[in-house]
Amino acid sequence: MVNLHRFANPNRFMRLSGLILPWASVVAVLTFPVGLYLALINSPPDYEQRETVRIMYIHVPAAWMALFSYTCMAAASAVALIWRHPLADLAAKSIAPVGACFTLICLVTGSLWGQPTWGTWWVWDARLTSVLILFFLFVGYMVLFDAFDDPTKGARAAGILVIVGFVFVPIIKFSVDILELRTLHQGASVSKLSAPSVHESMLWPLLVMALAYAAYFISLLLVRMRSAILAARVRSLRMMQAQRASRAAIVPERP
Amino acid sequence: MNGFEEYFAMGGDGRFIWSAYAVAALVLIGLAVASVWSYRARRSEFNVLQELDGGTPRSDDGNP
Amino acid sequence: MNAFIAIVRRDVTLALRRVSDTVSVVLFFVLAIVLFPLGIGPELNLLARIAAGTIWVAALLAAMLSLDRLFQVDADEGGLDLLVLAPLPLEAVVLAKCLAHWLVTGVPLILSAPILSILLNMGGDGFLVMILAMALATPTLSLIGAVGAALTVGARRGGVLVSLLVLPLLTPVLILGASAVDLALAGLNATPLLMLLGAMLLVAVLLCPWAAAAGLRLATE
């Protein structure tokens, strides 16, 4: 019975998201081509990294958005656990696949950047390793969410997990830095380039791409939340119809 | 034509750069399409159920 | 306090009655270590170099094995509802169960690690640091593992799921522990890393009982 009323009236969210969604998706659709133009055509090759610096324009914003997604997920889960706000649960659930996709993009593009620059597909470098662990945290969240028959319970269990994970993320990052020290110590010498120092000509494509990613994130978040709300409504409608049907079967209607 | 090919070669690293962009595009577009499809499916399911329920079908806010 | 000790004693007694569980965890640990020379080849220098990391990875995986029984037994037998309703705060109950879990799995792992390091031709300089690091790390394993175990009590599948949730969170323990032993083997000072392991244990003590208790309340609703 809880489910019946819980999601029965997020009408305000549906109205509001219906207003924001077109704008966010228009911004995403417009900024991606502009960002691509700046990144692929209207920016100079880097002195050290040559043309491969162009991968940075889709790699770095993906890393930013991955971390941002995880932070949002933790914040939404905290709101859901403390105030039992049903929309917050839906938000956290909707963010997870988007965040996992951002980490995936970050990992694959990082690897494709590493091969021509470092001469190897994968380096156990602090940043790559911590993003890999972040990917596992996203996957763990989604799997735990799905492991429950009751979606409200799944949401709360996964929410607790994501909050614990959020506390441990800085520790993971720190320990992975130590891992990197250890490879230097053992003398495994992969000649590495420092993080690209941001030149002004690189700043604009990076910022426009980041804006495009952010708009994409918001649009998808809203679509997925609306989808989840509709799913909850479908579930409650089904339950109501089933109840009515069983009641009709027990007490035949009198003329 | 030469300039065009040179541009795509990206100084010899073209295949890495273009595959990075292709993967990113594939993942982003794939997720977007999957999300929108499931949203549409849910909405039509909701409308059908509401019609069965006796109410007039309405998609909440008139948005696509 | 009495209730706390009673829970620890009860869990340890139960574990001792079913000694095969503890023994199989240690045996898994030994077997995993034995598999490495068989897989990589018995070259002594190579084994000495990978010894610390191998022992830590195997210890982590062995600890995972025992986790899904941590709360599942109580949940199946209905004891979990009693623990939730007990006058002792559920957080303290979780802490007691973690302590018991550490006594029956963590301590045997600590004791068997030095013997296994001999099998892998690890240098003697790492012994003391290995034991100290394990002593600081295994309670963290039990505590973080308890969160995973508690969150999956009400789920459809436990087992592998617990490892999937918990192992990413345990990477710092692995990195710090193995690095500490390697530093000691190289003749360097490993104290800072041991202190970091201790700090992580403190964070785990503060955070994990709360999270695990929340998970258990969810499971008994």
Side-chain angles (χ1 to χ4, degrees), chain A residues 25 31 36 53-54 77-78 94 106 119 121 124 134 145 170 172 182 207 232 241-242:
Chain A
S25 43
T31 45
L36 285 176
V53 71
R54 301 191 193 284
S77 300
S94 307
C106 186
W121 293 106
W124 291 97
L134 191 63
F145 204 112
I172 293 172
R182 215 175 129 190
L207 285 181
Q241 280 171 355

Side-chain angles (χ1 to χ4, degrees), chain A residues 101-156:
Chain A
C101 280
F102 285 138
T103 49
L104 192 66
I105 291 173
C106 186
L107 289 172
V108 175
T109 55
S111 168
L112 282 165
W113 180 82
Q115 175 62 23
T117 18
W118 293 335
T120 169
W121 293 106
W122 185 265
V123 174
W124 291 97
D125 140 273
R127 274 167 295 165
L128 278 178
T129 312
S130 40
V131 172
L132 180 64
I133 294 170
L134 191 63
F135 178 69
F136 288 131
L137 291 178
F138 275 118
V139 173
Y141 176 89
M142 290 191 280
V143 173
L144 184 61
F145 204 112
D146 282 339
F148 283 80
D149 290 321
D150 176 1
T152 34
K153 280 194 175 183
R156 274 172 59 200

